[in-house]
Amino acid sequence: MPTRGNDIRYEIALASRMLAHEGVLDAFGHVSLRHPDDPSKFLLSRSRSPQLVEAADILEFTLDAEPVRELPHKLFVERVIHGCIYQARPDVLAVCHHHAAAVMPFCIAGVPILPVFHLGAASGAAMPFWDQRDEFGDTNLLVVKPEEGRSLARALGPHPAVLMWHHGATVVGGDLRELVSRSIFMCQNAVYQLQAHLLGKVVPLSAGEARLAGSLNAMPNVVGRTWEYWSHRLAEAGRLPPAARSKARSPARPAAKRRKRK
Amino acid sequence: MPTRGNDIRYEIALASRMLAHEGVLDAFGHVSLRHPDDPSKFLLSRSRSPQLVEAADILEFTLDAEPVRELPHKLFVERVIHGCIYQARPDVLAVCHHHAAAVMPFCIAGVPILPVFHLGAASGAAMPFWDQRDEFGDTNLLVVKPEEGRSLARALGPHPAVLMWHHGATVVGGDLRELVSRSIFMCQNAVYQLQAHLLGKVVPLSAGEARLAGSLNAMPNVVGRTWEYWSHRLAEAGRLPPAARSKARSPARPAAKRRKRK
Amino acid sequence: MPTRGNDIRYEIALASRMLAHEGVLDAFGHVSLRHPDDPSKFLLSRSRSPQLVEAADILEFTLDAEPVRELPHKLFVERVIHGCIYQARPDVLAVCHHHAAAVMPFCIAGVPILPVFHLGAASGAAMPFWDQRDEFGDTNLLVVKPEEGRSLARALGPHPAVLMWHHGATVVGGDLRELVSRSIFMCQNAVYQLQAHLLGKVVPLSAGEARLAGSLNAMPNVVGRTWEYWSHRLAEAGRLPPAARSKARSPARPAAKRRKRK
Amino acid sequence: MPTRGNDIRYEIALASRMLAHEGVLDAFGHVSLRHPDDPSKFLLSRSRSPQLVEAADILEFTLDAEPVRELPHKLFVERVIHGCIYQARPDVLAVCHHHAAAVMPFCIAGVPILPVFHLGAASGAAMPFWDQRDEFGDTNLLVVKPEEGRSLARALGPHPAVLMWHHGATVVGGDLRELVSRSIFMCQNAVYQLQAHLLGKVVPLSAGEARLAGSLNAMPNVVGRTWEYWSHRLAEAGRLPPAARSKARSPARPAAKRRKRK
């Protein structure tokens, strides 16, 4: 099914660019998807800034983070983050690793991110911290070895996200859209939490509220609205991925516009 | 009067986009107007991010927040906010519910927003807080049930705005332009208040100053200037709503540009 | 000299838009110039947001802030700020009144802005505060009456700028370019001062450093570079004022581009 | 080798504009390169804001900061910063002096910038401070005299960067790409450090981590990705330098576009 494959690659590129455009990703960070037809594989871009990723950049990897086909492309050295989490968490179908400016202060001060507004509950009631130094001593902080990836996956446990000391965060989702909204709302939550701290005190949601609000971001009404909005903003900035080579079609591409020119 | 109806719908779309462009609304939030010919109805967009709302998206609702006509569109689940406020406040002709980044820290720390500069007085001298949990216990924080909407309207009381714990704010106005300027100035006021707090202390306007400055935003000289400015910024960004279908005309639309295409 | 008059009006519009583009002015604020041929008059825009001001909007006023010619235009109610300062300070040839976000926290906390970096010294070593309430009790904070304008001018004294409680700031200069750079550097200084305060302590320049660095912004090398830079940024954003009607010429207008169209 | 010379000048202009676009440089600041064929010379733009610099603006200087050829151009008065550092540090091939908003609070509060995230380690584990006043008493803070430049170079010592009290920072690199990434990551590090301080405490990298992570920014995988990203962002904003006059070619220039014009 090449068309479907292209569609999926286009969606990963779209999600990468959306997260870059909304300030979650910058020169760094990456988004992967478990292969929809083969849960023992995952799809991830070659080494490239997420705002520039195209469908054609998306490669296939085994869960050991080895490329399925030998290719001349440079690869992300941290792709074990994705493989190890897909191994440990059968429920996870999408992974994003990032260094968003919003979460960095928490990764440096060692302060936990708590759900402080309804949409922020999408990242869970309690977010674990992982310090690579605990198990591996002094490193350059990149997660490169399989044992480092497995350690990170253990720290993530059953949670939707994990903070990484002096490094960033890794977020997981049941699909790309959940992953995108969770990552964006987690960053907004972090910004609001820091500013509430400055105002005097941070009152988080109650445990019950956090549980009930935790799936708001997956409500069809919300997903429809946010996906249209973030796609539109990306299109407005001229940053949509180029159309996939084959007959791939995506609702976010201005197909109508292109037809008019004939 | 279809033309007038279209004009009004265009104005609501314009106000929505303006508030989105100025940072009050984002993927979420909504703007409504009491029906100018029938005070027992109100006009509100279908479920869509406010930056994308067009005149054709604006639907008619009873004050029970039920759509007047059966339509296939997805609707905002929180439309009771609007209906219940129009029921409780005959003086209110326009309502905006939002999660602006500027007010969220106050909604999380439980710190009241006070008028700290002349234009900020547009939101009143004392802004009430509403905590959904007081009456309804743990919820997902959306205001969906009529009793929730009525409770919020009671908390709003005679004020121009109410803060909602862990959620956002709801602002009311005597018309769309007052609503827009009040919402924007309230956000600026919140930003300045937080930073003054960081500098050392927050000295609010005196009660007399707050009363006298409270209507500055409705001075014709000010309304004319701000409306031209915010419209211009929207037009400059290519974000004006598409022209309404009938003969509707708005000073902000680039009519000249459209004529050229003939 | 109609050409020269148009050139001057174009320069005022350019300075207004530059200050808006660099974040000093927003929907509000205004820039005036003492009339170069008649020191008992000054030039100020009709009531319009500074980003939209064109050469044709610039009107002539007596130092009593009365328009020289009867015109149908709406006028700024605060134009006495300009008239009273030109009366009190023969050395002042340009005035800017603004509510820049950078200075508002200082106007609310009552904390003085101190020169904290070399270019920030352009606003002087000690900046006075004016509280309208001291002399006039509760007002809506607008500076409308001649006695209010005179009181503000007294507070300004011989300084380059004055902070206005809960309102904003007024800055003066020996010409438009000094006024523009002083206003922009004063805002940068305020932002840096607030953040240094957050880091722990604010160490201002020594009195000697402030005196020596106070005229850096007027060095020909600096004026040439900043004016080219701010003009370029304005042009890049498509925000230059439209060309004046007569033969007026300005170095910042893309004259070459227009010639090509013939 | 005129072609190579033009290429190098184009690269300096590109680096200047990149650093301006990423918020390190503004109206001020400058980037130089030691002459690749003659280590006793360096290349630096004439006095111009770095976002506007073109290949043709790049001039040749001796290490005494004197222009090699007499030219009518205005020159940066602070060019001794570059000359004195090239004299003192044979390993340095590129220098950037800036007043980035991110570092200014540290230069005012006298707080050291510490490596707080992996990429921030590119500026070293301990960054020295230089206070011009210690040796030269009250000045206007510009580094103009050779003895001032030499004093700054001594303070820099063997480090990758030095902070300048009330003024800004000077960063050095082994080539332009290292200089650019180090300068950008140092600014990000400063922003995160300030916010971590606000959250409660700043935990820097361990000495071992700082050493290991200190060369991440020079990894080919990272350099390739960041240079493509920053170039792309510059191109997207229409801010690439104009193509050099001769046959110079650069991967970042829109060569295809130029061909069309024939």
Side-chain angles (χ1 to χ4, degrees), chain B residues 116-119 185 192 195-196 198-199 201 203-206 208-209 212 216 221 225-226 228-229 232 236, chain C residues 26-28 47-49 51-52 75-77 99 104-106 108-109 133 138-140 142 166 197 239:
Chain B
V116 293
F117 82 122
H118 56 317
L119 296 159
F185 296 146
Y192 303 159
Q195 295 189 346
L198 297 180
L199 266 185
K201 63 179 168 176
V203 183
L205 298 192
S206 74
E209 285 175 327
L212 290 165
L216 278 180
N221 202 358
R225 207 181 328 162
T226 52
E228 183 193 24
Y229 176 65
H232 178 86
E236 199 180 34
Chain C
D26 50 18
F28 301 100
S47 176
R48 200 173 194 194
S49 288
Q51 190 188 299
L52 306 178
L75 305 179
F76 291 121
V77 297
H99 315 161
M104 294 309 293
F106 294 83
I108 291 162
R133 224 174 147 220
D138 286 341
T139 63
N140 66 6
L142 297 189
H166 296 126
H197 171 81
R239 291 183 170 174

Side-chain angles (χ1 to χ4, degrees), chain D:
Chain D
M1 280 193 302
T3 301
R4 190 181 164 206
N6 281 348
D7 274 357
I8 285 162
R9 286 171 161 78
Y10 182 87
E11 288 284 304
I12 298 171
L14 185 64
S16 293
R17 288 166 177 248
M18 227 176 232
L19 287 168
H21 194 64
E22 301 300 330
V24 177
L25 303 172
D26 48 20
F28 301 100
H30 15 89
V31 173
S32 71
L33 184 71
R34 194 190 286 269
H35 198 297
D37 298 328
D38 179 356
S40 71
K41 304 263 182 351
F42 70 93
L43 299 162
L44 173 71
S45 150
R46 66 178 174 99
S47 175
R48 200 173 193 194
S49 288
Q51 190 189 300
L52 305 179
V53 167
E54 309 185 5
D57 294 322
I58 307 296
L59 311 177
E60 214 172 315
F61 296 88
T62 65
L63 298 195
D64 293 328
E66 292 305 319
V68 168
R69 271 170 290 281
E70 251 182 78
L71 288 160
H73 303 306
K74 277 189 190 144
L75 304 178
F76 290 121
V77 296
E78 295 193 309
R79 58 195 189 274
V80 293
I81 293 177
H82 303 266
C84 291
I85 289 175
Y86 289 123
Q87 285 182 4
R89 288 275 301 269
D91 62 311
V92 166
L93 299 185
V95 174
C96 173
H97 167 61
H98 69 77
H99 316 160
V103 308
M104 293 308 293
F106 293 84
C107 299
I108 292 162
V111 170
I113 295 182
L114 303 170
V116 293
F117 82 123
H118 57 317
L119 296 160
S123 325
M127 199 179 299
F129 252 109
W130 180 68
D131 189 350
Q132 191 161 352
R133 223 175 148 219
D134 287 344
E135 257 181 85
F136 304 98
D138 286 341
T139 63
N140 66 5
L141 281 93
L142 296 189
V143 183
V144 177
K145 298 179 190 162
E147 55 268 33
E148 291 168 335
R150 284 194 293 266
S151 170
L152 175 65
R154 277 195 303 275
L156 171 67
H159 298 284
V162 57
L163 293 177
M164 301 153 80
W165 264 93
H166 296 126
H167 184 152
T170 298
V171 185
V172 302
D175 61 31
L176 276 175
R177 297 187 181 203
E178 186 184 51
L179 181 76
V180 166
S181 62
R182 181 173 278 163
S183 301
I184 292 174
F185 297 148
M186 175 176 154
C187 287
Q188 291 182 345
N189 190 92
V191 169
Y192 304 160
Q193 180 177 342
L194 189 148
Q195 295 189 347
H197 171 80
L198 298 181
L199 266 184
K201 62 179 168 177
V202 171
V203 183
L205 299 191
S206 74
E209 285 174 327
R211 192 173 30 82
L212 291 164
S215 54
L216 279 179
N217 69 315
M219 272 174 60
N221 203 359
V222 169
V223 173
R225 206 180 330 160
T226 52
W227 201 257
E228 183 192 25
Y229 176 65
W230 293 321
S231 297
H232 178 86
R233 281 165 58 90
L234 200 62
E236 202 180 31
R239 291 183 170 174
L240 283 178
R245 260 168 299 187
S246 78
K247 282 166 280 186
R249 280 287 173 269
S250 163
R253 275 184 312 129
K257 209 170 163 190
R258 300 179 66 234
R259 250 173 262 132
K260 276 186 214 159
R261 289 193 194 141
K262 286 176 199 172

Side-chain angles (χ1 to χ4, degrees), chain A residues 98-115:
Chain A
H98 68 77
H99 316 159
V103 308
M104 293 308 294
F106 294 84
C107 300
I108 292 161
V111 170
I113 294 181
L114 302 170

Side-chain angles (χ1 to χ4, degrees), chain B residues 19-32:
Chain B
L19 286 167
H21 193 64
E22 301 299 330
V24 177
L25 304 171
D26 49 19
F28 301 99
H30 14 91
V31 172
S32 72

Side-chain angles (χ1 to χ4, degrees), chain A residues 30-52:
Chain A
H30 16 90
V31 172
S32 72
L33 184 72
R34 195 190 283 271
H35 197 295
D37 298 327
D38 180 355
S40 72
K41 304 264 183 347
F42 69 94
L43 299 162
L44 174 70
S45 150
R46 66 178 174 98
S47 175
R48 200 172 194 196
S49 288
Q51 189 188 298
L52 305 179

Side-chain angles (χ1 to χ4, degrees), chain B residues 159-237:
Chain B
H159 297 285
V162 58
L163 292 177
M164 302 154 79
W165 262 93
H166 297 126
H167 183 155
T170 298
V171 185
V172 302
D175 61 31
L176 276 175
R177 295 185 183 203
E178 187 184 53
L179 181 76
V180 166
S181 61
R182 183 174 276 162
S183 302
I184 292 172
F185 296 146
M186 176 175 152
C187 287
Q188 292 182 344
N189 190 91
V191 169
Y192 303 159
Q193 181 176 342
L194 189 148
Q195 295 189 346
H197 171 80
L198 297 180
L199 266 185
K201 63 179 168 176
V202 172
V203 183
L205 298 192
S206 74
E209 285 175 327
R211 190 171 32 79
L212 290 165
S215 54
L216 278 180
N217 70 314
M219 273 174 60
N221 202 358
V222 169
V223 173
R225 207 181 328 162
T226 52
W227 201 256
E228 183 193 24
Y229 176 65
W230 293 321
S231 300
H232 178 86
R233 279 165 58 88
L234 201 61
E236 199 180 34

